[in-house]
Structures are given as structure tokens and as C-alpha cells.
Amino acid sequence: MGDLAGGGMATLPPVEHRFYPARMTSLDPDRLRFAQIAGAAARHAQAWLTAEQEAAAVAELAQAAAGRADLLAECAGTALGFGEGGQDAARYRQIAELCIAAGADRSLIGRWIAVGRERAAVARARPHAGPRATE
């Protein structure tokens, strides 16, 4: 098994390839960059941001995106679609606004809103996986 820190390529045990989709276990740079963007946006989204906090959030997102306006648009759109009508809709809107302020390509957001809506529908359709009720 390789060492990522040492510049080598990490390989996953065969069992992980069987249980996880390839895109979840791949080291695709776009997916890694998207994860950085989404994580930073979610971390900074809160009820109230001062102008200084917002500027820091936008700067971090712009740095994480490294010029990838398409990935900022993906994060903004999926957040808007996923959060539509939900209890956390304001938080998801703020995530989108931060991504837009960081330079998201506005022309791509609509397409990702549809993807976010689909993901929300799938999430709502899944039964709760918590402990079973005892009779």
C-alpha cells in the first residue's frame, strides 16, 4: 500500500472496492476539490456572519476552488436544490450565496439545483436507519 504523504499512490483493499462505488474511493482531483469546497462552505454557513467572517469564508472558498467556477456552481446548486423547502433551507441558501460570492459560474447553477432536488428526494425516500422500535 502506498503512502499519500510520500507522493505514492494509495491502493484500497479489494473488499473496499466491492462495497464502495469507484467514485467514492477514487482520488479524482475534482471530487477532492469539490469536497474541500463543500466542507468549507458548510463549516462557514451559520445563522449570522459578520462582514469579516463572510470575507474570510469567501476567500477560503475561492482558494479551495482554485479557479474552478464550475465546482463552486455545483456546490451552490446542489445546496439550493437539496435544501429547498426543508428545515435547513436558510443554511443551504447561505452555502450557495458563499459559493456565488466566491465566483461560482451562475450559468451552471440551475442544472445542479435539479441534481440537489433528486438527492433530497432519494434521502427522503430512505427509511430511518436508527434502532428498531421494541414492541
Side-chain angles (χ1 to χ4, degrees), residues 47-116:
W48 302 102
L49 286 178
T50 65
E52 186 176 286
Q53 290 170 321
E54 184 175 342
V58 169
E60 183 178 346
L61 286 169
Q63 182 179 11
R68 294 294 304 273
D70 59 322
L71 295 178
L72 287 165
E74 180 181 350
C75 187
T78 54
L80 287 171
F82 191 87
E84 223 171 42
Q87 290 179 334
D88 292 336
R91 183 169 186 273
Y92 285 108
R93 248 187 333 275
Q94 187 176 35
I95 288 170
E97 289 168 4
L98 290 171
C99 289
I100 291 167
D105 181 341
R106 291 174 182 255
S107 70
L108 300 176
I109 292 175
R111 142 178 186 222
W112 289 108
I113 289 173
V115 172

Side-chain angles (χ1 to χ4, degrees), residues 1-34:
M1 189 157 358
D3 175 12
L4 285 178
M9 188 64 145
T11 58
L12 296 172
V15 71
E16 290 198 31
H17 287 289
R18 185 173 306 158
F19 291 106
Y20 299 111
R23 66 170 221 228
M24 287 179 64
T25 58
S26 74
L27 296 175
D28 177 9
D30 286 353
R31 293 301 86 203
L32 294 174
R33 186 165 308 282
F34 176 81

